[in-house]
Amino acid sequence: MDERRYDVLLAEALRRIEDLFEEIDPDVVEATRAGDALTLAFSDGTKLIVTPQRPVQQLWVAARGAGYHFVWDLAASRWTEERGRAAGLMELIADECRAHAGVEIAK
């Protein structure tokens, strides 16, 4: 994948995540963005951080005291975890929201 395509996919993913939290009370889950890094702060004090890794064309997520590395799966048209520890980027975010804030979001 070329850099331009990666940048488009990255922007779409970050925007989609941000959009999920527009209608959610920021005291429950607050989404903040600093450049290309996106942080979700949950009401229980837990954080989930999404950061791009341009050199390897991945999205990295820090959550549950672990790091998840997502790659774009062309066949599935979605970000999938390279080690198979999470079904997909949106599924991981939905699971974390449910676990740490009791909030259901669309996957």
Side-chain angles (χ1 to χ4, degrees):
M1 160 177 16
D2 65 28
E3 259 185 70
R4 184 169 178 243
R5 179 70 177 139
Y6 171 78
D7 285 339
V8 167
L9 293 169
L10 168 67
E12 288 173 355
L14 294 175
R15 185 174 41 256
R16 181 173 178 209
I17 295 166
E18 283 180 302
D19 288 351
L20 290 171
F21 297 96
E22 282 186 1
E23 301 298 320
I24 295 175
D25 182 345
D27 289 335
V28 176
V29 183
E30 183 174 22
T32 56
R33 187 134 167 222
D36 285 338
L38 177 66
T39 301
L40 300 178
F42 300 103
S43 55
D44 70 355
T46 305
K47 291 185 179 180
L48 178 147
I49 303 167
V50 180
T51 56
Q53 299 299 315
R54 282 187 172 78
V56 291
Q57 296 186 333
Q58 295 180 343
L59 277 176
W60 289 5
V61 176
R64 304 181 203 172
Y68 299 85
H69 300 178
F70 290 88
V71 296
W72 181 254
D73 182 334
L74 186 60
S77 293
R78 67 187 209 143
W79 293 95
T80 57
E81 212 283 322
E82 71 175 356
R83 297 180 214 139
R85 296 182 302 151
L89 176 63
M90 300 312 293
E91 289 81 4
L92 176 65
I93 290 171
D95 290 347
E96 291 296 302
C97 286
R98 190 177 315 104
H100 297 292
V103 173
E104 293 291 331
I105 62 165
K107 298 178 192 176

